[in-house]
């Protein structure tokens, strides 16, 4: 195996030379769990942790290494190493950190394509697909929609779901698959490119881990038995992992995400809801909220049936989430600034 097989490229090598990191080994983070990392190099895998300087210089959790990152490491025994530097990220797929207002959580880095996995049974949800598309569009990652578990519904119902999906989402590849019958798995495998990194996005129970096992041809990720009531196989592990497939493609599996909070995803929202944003240019007022104003082109198109009601409501919801995140970040920065002033004032008083 070479570094190129893991996705290494000339830009990363140039950074390594410019930053005088030639004395360190280069590896890629293939697994992360509670700030413990597994790094794959050309020769072997290491269990690693970050050095103190890297930890204390981090301003937020997203400054820590993530699965998909390239790092400079030094080994201190046969199986353990220290992470000294994180290389610049080409792309970052991120969401709002759960339970941490105003902070981002990196789902995976240096991704070329994202498989948005959606089950076609009871949990089929186009709003959720648009949410994942917004994340991909913001990250400049190419999305591919995978409709899984097609063995659980009839052909007519599948065609109806495809029609509804195409009414709201155009120009995005859609592949139908079944982990149970293996339908579409070979086609998907053939489309994956050597040296390119793919990420699996989707909620718990949509079949991501089973898909990884099917694509790799071996049991990499364990799943619990599939429930007869929910048709879900629960993912046992909760951390991310990177796997190199036999065809040379690189695949990152992610735990199912109950919450996919939107951050400051302006570009992503505009691209996902391109038709709605195009209509907004014809609104009477520049600061139109597209909710109740007279002369709103979007509301007019909604009344005439030119845009989908659910898509419009999902667009407003994501916009509100984005604005809330941006407001939270601004408030957090103000609190940090005020706290800094308080510390300086205290030091001056103490001095005199």
């Amino acid at each position: 195996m070479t570094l190129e097989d893991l996705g290494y490229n000339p830009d990363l090598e140039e950074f390594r030379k410019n930053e005088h990191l030639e004395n360190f080994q280069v590896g890629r983070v293939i697994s992360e769990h509670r700030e413990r990392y597994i790094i794959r190099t050309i020769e072997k895998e290491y269990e690693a942790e970050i050095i103190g300087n890297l930890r204390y210089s981090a301003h937020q959790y997203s400054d820590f290494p993530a699965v998909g990152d390239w790092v400079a490491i030094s080994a201190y025994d046969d199986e353990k190493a220290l992470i000294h530097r994180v290389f610049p990220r080409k792309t970052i797929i991120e969401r709002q950190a759960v339970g941490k207002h105003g902070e981002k959580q990196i789902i995976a880095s240096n991704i070329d394509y994202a498989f948005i996995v959606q089950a076609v049974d009871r949990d089929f949800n186009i709003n959720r697909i648009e949410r994942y598309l917004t994340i991909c569009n913001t990250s400049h990652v190419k999305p591919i929609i995978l409709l899984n578990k097609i063995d659980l519904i009839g052909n007519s119902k599948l065609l109806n779901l495809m029609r509804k999906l195409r009414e709201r989402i155009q120009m995005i590849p859609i592949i139908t698959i079944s982990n149970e019958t293996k339908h579409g798995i070979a086609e998907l495998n053939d489309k994956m490119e050597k040296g390119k990194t793919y990420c699996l996005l989707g909620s718990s129970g949509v079949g991501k881990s089973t898909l990884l096992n099917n694509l790799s041809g071996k049991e990499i990720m364990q799943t619990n038995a599939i429930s007869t009531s929910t048709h879900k196989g629960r993912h046992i592990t909760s951390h991310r992992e990177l796997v190199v497939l036999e065809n040379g493609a690189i695949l990152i599996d992610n735990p199912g995400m109950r919450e996919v909070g939107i951050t400051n995803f302006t570009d992503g929202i505009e691209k996902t809801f391109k038709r709605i944003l195009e209509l907004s240019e014809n609104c009477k007022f520049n600061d139109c909220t597209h909710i109740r104003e007279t002369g709103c082109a979007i509301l007019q198109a909604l009344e005439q049936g030119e845009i989908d009601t659910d898509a419009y409501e999902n667009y407003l919801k994501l916009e509100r989430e984005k604005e809330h995140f941006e407001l939270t970040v601004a408030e957090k920065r103000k609190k940090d600034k005020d706290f800094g002033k308080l510390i300086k004032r205290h030091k001056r008083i103490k001095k005199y």
Side-chain angles (χ1 to χ4, degrees):
M1 176 177 289
T2 66
L3 286 176
E4 286 70 24
D5 292 330
L6 289 171
Y8 199 67
N9 59 54
D11 291 338
L12 293 168
E13 180 61 21
E14 183 178 358
F15 173 82
R16 182 190 183 198
K17 291 179 179 177
N18 290 341
E19 296 297 313
H20 308 293
L21 299 173
E22 294 94 335
N23 293 330
F24 294 98
Q25 292 188 67
V26 175
R28 196 169 190 188
V29 180
I30 66 170
S31 180
E32 180 269 328
H33 187 55
R34 296 180 181 176
E35 296 184 25
R36 306 293 293 185
Y37 307 91
I38 303 298
I39 312 297
R40 179 176 293 185
T41 65
I42 297 175
E43 295 85 9
K44 59 193 305 182
E45 294 179 6
Y46 292 97
E47 180 182 337
E49 58 184 329
I50 61 176
I51 62 172
N53 185 49
L54 195 59
R55 178 181 300 277
Y56 295 125
S57 63
H59 298 290
Q60 53 191 353
Y61 195 75
S62 58
D63 291 331
F64 286 78
V67 172
D69 274 340
W70 287 94
V71 292
I73 66 170
S74 63
Y76 59 89
D77 71 18
D78 287 342
E79 297 181 352
K80 296 186 177 181
L82 294 173
I83 300 173
H84 294 262
R85 191 74 178 271
V86 179
F87 285 37
R89 294 157 175 155
K90 179 178 67 174
T91 58
I92 302 172
I93 295 183
E94 60 188 5
R95 64 171 176 177
Q96 183 173 334
V98 179
K100 296 180 180 179
H101 299 295
E103 288 196 28
K104 301 176 183 179
Q105 177 188 9
I106 297 178
I107 299 172
S109 68
N110 299 310
I111 306 298
D112 298 296
Y113 295 88
F115 289 139
I116 301 174
V117 187
Q118 176 82 71
V120 297
D121 57 355
R122 66 186 68 186
D123 288 330
F124 181 78
N125 189 311
I126 300 178
N127 284 359
R128 191 180 299 124
I129 294 176
E130 286 178 334
R131 182 176 289 268
Y132 282 118
L133 278 176
T134 300
I135 291 175
C136 293
N137 289 331
T138 301
S139 308
H140 304 290
V141 170
K142 298 176 183 177
I144 299 172
I145 298 172
L146 302 184
L147 298 183
N148 189 23
K149 304 189 180 184
I150 62 171
D151 55 289
L152 298 179
I153 64 173
N155 189 55
S156 59
K157 187 176 180 180
L158 177 61
L159 290 175
N160 186 46
L161 291 180
M162 291 283 287
R163 178 185 58 79
K164 290 181 178 179
L165 186 57
R166 276 299 178 212
E167 285 176 355
R168 286 175 59 175
I169 299 173
Q170 295 88 33
M171 308 302 292
I172 304 296
I174 301 174
I175 301 175
T176 59
I177 62 173
S178 168
N179 281 325
E180 189 69 22
T181 66
K182 307 297 190 296
H183 172 88
I185 300 298
E187 175 192 354
L188 183 60
N189 218 321
D190 291 340
K191 289 181 179 294
M192 299 176 73
E193 302 176 40
K194 179 180 180 180
K196 297 294 184 181
T197 302
Y198 298 76
C199 179
L200 291 171
L201 300 177
S203 305
S204 297
V206 297
K208 301 189 308 299
S209 296
T210 308
L211 175 60
L212 175 58
N213 291 338
N214 283 334
L215 288 171
S216 66
K218 50 190 173 183
E219 185 89 0
I220 293 176
M221 288 290 182
Q222 287 186 315
T223 57
N224 281 350
I226 295 176
S227 167
T228 55
S229 60
T230 64
H231 304 296
K232 292 181 179 181
R234 185 167 58 85
H235 190 177
I236 292 176
T237 56
S238 60
H239 57 278
R240 299 161 181 79
E241 188 156 341
L242 179 151
V243 176
V244 180
L245 305 180
E246 287 188 7
N247 62 6
I250 303 158
L251 187 59
I252 294 179
D253 176 62
N254 293 287
M257 290 174 281
R258 295 183 182 89
E259 299 179 37
V260 193
I262 295 297
T263 60
N264 50 339
F265 287 177
T266 301
D267 293 341
I269 291 176
E270 290 180 354
K271 190 170 182 180
T272 302
F273 299 94
K274 184 178 179 181
R275 173 58 178 158
I276 292 178
L277 267 296
E278 288 175 345
L279 287 168
S280 69
E281 296 177 0
N282 299 319
C283 289
K284 183 176 181 180
F285 304 104
N286 292 332
D287 59 349
C288 184
T289 63
H290 319 303
I291 297 176
R292 61 180 66 87
E293 291 89 344
T294 302
C296 174
I298 292 176
L299 293 178
Q300 185 178 354
L302 195 64
E303 291 175 2
Q304 296 174 353
E306 295 179 13
I307 57 176
D308 185 271
T309 302
D310 291 336
Y312 163 75
E313 292 177 352
N314 201 29
Y315 161 74
L316 293 181
K317 182 178 181 180
L318 296 183
E319 276 285 357
R320 287 195 296 269
E321 285 186 35
K322 176 183 73 70
E323 291 172 2
H324 177 71
F325 179 83
E326 291 174 343
L327 181 62
T328 304
V329 171
E331 290 176 348
K332 188 173 182 294
R333 285 175 179 169
K334 185 178 184 304
K335 287 181 180 179
D336 290 342
K337 187 176 181 180
D338 291 343
F339 182 73
K341 289 181 179 178
L342 181 64
I343 294 296
K344 288 181 180 179
R345 191 180 302 116
H346 175 74
K347 288 181 178 179
R348 285 198 300 268
I349 295 172
K350 193 173 182 180
K351 184 177 179 180
Y352 294 103

